Amino acid sequence: MRTGSHGATDLSPVCMAAAVHFDLAVHNFGIQEYMRHADVTKQVFPHAYTFAEGALYPGEAPGLGVDITKSSPQQYPYQRAYLPTSRKLDGTVQSW
């Protein structure tokens, strides 16, 4: 069985870099889900991994290859967000 790692926008660049390194380490790697991060996320978490021609590359930086810009996080305070709720016409909640 091949792996199929989750990696949508809910993963920070730190977690995404760890997932890329994990994928390269396991013998049964299958597919890595990936969605590009917003430019502001890249400013706060500059990273060495890249996406090109359908593949993720870990880069040459030490460790996971992710840094945290010291001044940027204060410019972008955390704002809590919720997933949308999908309701039927009668008001019952359903899986979206």
Side-chain angles (χ1 to χ4, degrees):
M1 173 167 285
R2 299 254 180 223
T3 62
S5 301
H6 180 66
T9 57
D10 58 340
L11 289 186
S12 73
V14 175
C15 291
M16 189 74 246
V20 171
H21 284 267
F22 172 79
D23 296 339
L24 292 171
V26 298
H27 71 279
N28 63 333
F29 172 71
I31 190 167
Q32 173 64 59
E33 182 182 32
Y34 173 69
M35 293 179 69
R36 290 180 173 93
H37 288 287
D39 289 337
V40 67
T41 304
K42 293 177 194 174
Q43 289 173 5
V44 176
F45 299 98
H47 53 272
Y49 66 83
T50 57
F51 179 78
E53 299 178 9
L56 280 163
Y57 299 92
E60 298 293 326
L64 293 177
V66 181
D67 197 6
I68 299 175
T69 307
K70 302 291 187 224
S71 60
S72 294
Q74 290 80 19
Q75 296 173 5
Y76 308 103
Y78 175 75
Q79 295 178 352
R80 189 170 187 158
Y82 296 93
L83 291 172
T85 302
S86 180
R87 294 187 180 271
K88 294 182 179 181
L89 292 175
D90 66 1
T92 56
V93 179
Q94 68 176 9
S95 178
W96 54 276

